[in-house]
């Protein structure tokens, strides 16, 4: 890996920085590709060509780790094999995903300080959270309508409410409510990437206030997974630190849930339904009401049993029940081999947490905690593959590297 001190000595090229963010946000999980006038495929292709030309003229390139290129080439080889094995043209697109995040990683580490991109990502999440929370409350108070409607790539309707977007717009007659999603396709994606931002901010020891702002604002995405994360995060990190920080967070969360519980028998009961009820309303068929993944797990696992080694392929799912939004999707569609190739990057975090010094195994507890949290989050949102998804994951791994190279790293 290129030494961090050398990378930080690079002068940030503003124009390339802008192009990188245009590249990363052109497609899913962002909403822009759902707008009819947005040429996202052309944009990604054109920017990819521009980046390749810049790299060729630059001559010397840098990549985050030497293993990234061979792993990506292995992925591409397997996708090509799957294309011929199952005559599934979707694997050409999947090949492009692998190639696109490789290009993004090389460009970031060659032309821009990756730490700058990480800080910009955290700032983006913070701003989107503040704006989304503002809209959440102003909409509750004034009950205004969206200024624009669009259709997501998966066919679900989406709405723009001035400062945020959402695909979750509830209307109970006299009252309506939104779960904000920023510029992501759904609220769950907003909170999912906020988890990355919180963990990166902690590993790099950037700004404790930013962490608190993100946590507070993400509460109002009403994401069940984010509430699970908060519980894990509190017991793994905050409760072991200054009592003051722990007490502040407990007071904020307790106040929030007490207020919501008081609304149970009022006209605003739907706030209770979308929060506390999702934790305590249990059914034998689906489990907790906030967990909408049980049936998806069953469907994906059933498909995996039919095609265990190489998976069913994307084309097989046409006309079949929805398989996505769970970690077994990759296993069902791409098989055991594809699953390993896709999830090899997340497991690098575990490998980094475990170091062999002589005959002694050393554990980095903080990194291990991050790995556990992310793997639990991946159970219901396994977004580890794709242009933006893999780029953020690799930048998280870079944050882990910086943390472990720092004097504050906790080896045991």
């Amino acid at each position: 890996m290129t030494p961090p001190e050398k990378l930080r000595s690079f002068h940030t090229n503003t124009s390339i920085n802008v192009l990188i963010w245009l590249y990363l946000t052109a497609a899913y999980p962002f909403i822009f590709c759902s707008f009819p006038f947005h040429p996202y495929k052309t944009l990604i292709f054109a920017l990819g060509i521009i980046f390749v030309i810049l790299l060729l003229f630059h001559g010397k390139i840098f990549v985050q780790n030497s293993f990234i290129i061979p792993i990506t080439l292995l992925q591409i080889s397997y996708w090509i094999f799957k294309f011929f094995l199952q005559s599934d043209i979707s694997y050409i697109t999947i090949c492009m995903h692998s190639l696109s995040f490789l290009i993004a990683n090389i460009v970031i580490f060659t032309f821009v300080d990756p730490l700058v991109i990480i800080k910009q990502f955290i700032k983006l999440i913070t701003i989107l959270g503040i704006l989304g929370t503002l809209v959440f409350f102003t909409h509750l108070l004034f009950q205004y309508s969206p200024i624009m409607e669009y259709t997501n790539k998966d066919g679900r309707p989406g709405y723009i409410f001035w400062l945020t977007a959402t695909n979750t717009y509830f209307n109970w007659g006299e009252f309506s409510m939104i779960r904000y999603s920023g510029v992501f396709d759904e609220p769950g994606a907003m909170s999912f990437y906020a988890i990355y931002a919180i963990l990166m901010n902690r590993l790099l020891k950037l700004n404790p206030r930013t962490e608190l702002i993100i946590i507070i604002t993400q509460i109002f995405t009403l994401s069940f997974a984010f509430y699970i994360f908060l519980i894990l995060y509190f017991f793994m990190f905050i409760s072991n630190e200054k009592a003051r920080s722990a007490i502040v967070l407990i007071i904020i969360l307790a106040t929030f849930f007490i207020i919501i519980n008081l609304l149970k028998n009022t006209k605003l009961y739907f706030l209770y339904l979308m929060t506390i009820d999702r934790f305590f309303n249990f059914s034998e068929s689906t489990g907790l009401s906030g967990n909408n993944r049980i049936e998806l797990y069953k469907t994906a696992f059933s498909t995996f049993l039919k095609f265990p080694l190489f998976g069913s392929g994307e084309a097989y799912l046409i006309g079949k029940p929805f398989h996505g939004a769970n970690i077994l999707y990759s296993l069902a569609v791409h098989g055991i081999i594809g699953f390993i190739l896709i999830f090899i990057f997340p497991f690098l975090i575990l490998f980094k947490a475990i170091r062999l010094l002589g005959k002694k195994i050393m554990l980095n507890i903080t990194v291990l905690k991050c790995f556990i949290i992310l793997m639990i989050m991946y159970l219901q949102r396994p977004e580890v593959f794709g242009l933006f998804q893999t780029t953020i994951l690799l930048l998280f791994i870079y944050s882990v590297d910086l943390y472990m190279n720092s004097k504050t790293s906790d080896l045991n």
Side-chain angles (χ1 to χ4, degrees):
M1 181 173 61
T2 308
E5 56 270 19
K6 181 177 180 180
L7 286 170
R8 283 195 287 270
S9 70
F10 288 164
H11 175 69
T12 301
N13 188 315
T14 304
S15 58
I16 293 182
N17 190 297
V18 171
L19 291 179
I20 287 171
W21 277 108
L22 284 174
Y23 190 58
L24 293 178
T25 59
Y28 178 86
F30 294 93
I31 62 172
F32 310 118
C33 61
S34 297
F35 299 162
F37 55 81
H38 191 280
Y40 67 98
K41 291 182 180 178
T42 303
L43 182 61
I44 292 175
F45 179 78
L47 288 174
I49 295 296
I50 290 172
F51 288 147
V52 169
I53 292 172
L54 288 173
L55 291 169
L56 289 173
F57 275 99
H58 189 264
K60 191 173 183 180
I61 66 171
F62 297 98
V63 69
Q64 180 175 346
N65 289 96
S66 57
F67 59 77
I68 289 178
I69 292 178
I71 288 175
T72 306
L73 291 178
L74 276 174
Q75 287 181 344
I76 291 174
S77 299
Y78 182 67
W79 306 142
I80 292 173
F81 166 75
K82 287 268 287 177
F83 166 71
F84 287 107
L85 177 69
Q86 298 171 334
S87 301
D88 191 340
I89 197 170
S90 67
Y91 281 100
I92 300 299
T93 302
I94 296 174
C95 280
M96 294 300 103
H97 286 317
S98 293
L99 188 60
S100 63
F101 69 68
L102 177 61
I103 291 172
N105 189 268
I106 294 174
V107 170
I108 289 171
F109 278 79
T110 301
F111 295 111
V112 183
D113 183 345
L115 198 55
V116 170
I117 301 297
I118 291 171
K119 289 179 179 179
Q120 289 172 345
F121 168 68
I122 294 172
K123 187 176 292 185
L124 173 66
I125 295 296
T126 306
I127 293 172
L128 291 176
I130 293 171
L131 296 178
T133 302
L134 181 63
V135 172
F136 177 85
F137 282 106
T138 56
H139 177 263
L140 277 180
L141 288 171
F142 303 110
Q143 295 292 292
Y144 50 82
S145 300
I147 62 171
M148 175 182 167
E149 296 185 22
Y150 60 93
T151 302
N152 279 302
K153 289 298 177 183
D154 58 9
R156 292 178 296 177
Y159 310 90
I160 303 291
F161 283 87
W162 295 100
L163 303 175
T164 193
T166 185
N167 73 332
T168 313
Y169 177 29
F170 300 101
N171 195 322
W172 287 279
E174 188 177 352
F175 291 100
S176 61
M177 185 190 74
I178 70 164
R179 293 176 55 201
Y180 80 85
S181 59
V183 291
F184 293 96
D185 69 316
E186 61 179 12
M190 173 79 244
S191 62
F192 176 78
Y193 290 102
I195 291 170
Y196 272 122
I198 292 168
L199 294 177
M200 285 176 171
N201 187 77
R202 172 163 290 270
L203 287 172
L204 299 173
K205 300 189 181 300
L206 295 178
N207 190 333
R209 290 183 180 178
T210 297
E211 175 183 299
L212 187 59
I213 290 171
I214 295 176
I215 287 175
I216 293 173
T217 56
Q218 292 304 310
I219 289 172
F220 302 104
T221 60
L222 305 183
S223 167
F224 183 80
F226 188 76
Y227 297 154
I228 297 296
F229 161 76
L230 278 184
I231 295 170
L232 294 171
Y233 191 67
F234 175 80
F235 285 107
M236 288 187 178
F237 290 102
I238 298 178
S239 62
N240 296 325
E241 297 177 352
K242 295 179 181 179
R244 180 179 166 184
S245 299
I247 291 171
V248 168
L249 186 57
I250 288 173
I251 291 174
I252 291 171
L253 293 176
T255 303
F256 172 74
F257 282 108
I258 288 171
I259 292 173
I260 295 299
N261 194 55
L262 291 173
L263 298 175
K264 181 177 180 180
N265 297 315
T266 71
K267 292 182 178 180
L268 298 177
Y269 71 95
F270 51 82
L271 286 174
Y272 172 84
L273 293 177
M274 295 305 301
T275 52
I276 296 176
D277 185 67
R278 301 178 78 194
F279 276 95
F280 299 106
N281 187 359
F282 186 88
S283 71
E284 293 184 1
S285 59
T286 61
L288 295 176
S289 64
N291 181 10
N292 56 5
R293 301 298 200 273
I294 299 297
E295 289 303 317
L296 298 178
Y297 272 105
K298 292 178 181 178
T299 303
F301 187 68
S302 175
T303 300
F304 165 68
L305 293 178
K306 296 176 184 177
F307 310 94
L309 188 59
F310 299 118
S312 66
E314 296 277 357
Y316 175 83
L317 301 185
I318 297 175
K320 301 286 193 307
F322 182 62
H323 280 56
N326 71 91
I327 201 168
L328 296 184
Y329 170 82
S330 296
L331 205 56
V333 177
H334 307 306
I336 294 173
I337 297 174
F339 181 86
I340 293 171
L341 289 173
I342 287 176
F343 277 86
I344 194 168
F345 288 132
F347 274 95
L348 284 174
I349 302 169
L350 176 62
F351 299 148
K352 290 178 180 294
I354 304 173
R355 286 187 174 182
L356 189 63
L357 298 179
K359 294 183 179 180
K360 188 177 181 181
I361 296 176
M362 306 294 286
L363 285 178
N364 189 298
I365 302 302
T366 297
V367 176
L368 186 60
K369 289 176 181 177
C370 289
F371 172 77
I372 292 171
I373 286 175
L374 287 178
M375 289 308 297
I376 291 174
M377 295 300 104
Y378 292 152
L379 289 175
Q380 61 87 39
R381 187 172 290 274
E383 295 192 4
V384 299
F385 185 77
L387 172 54
F388 181 75
Q389 297 91 326
T390 310
T391 299
I392 293 301
L393 173 57
L394 291 175
L395 287 174
F396 180 81
I397 293 173
Y398 178 72
S399 301
V400 169
D401 288 331
L402 291 182
Y403 170 77
M404 295 189 69
N405 291 330
S406 69
K407 294 180 180 180
T408 56
S409 182
D410 54 342
L411 282 172
N412 288 296

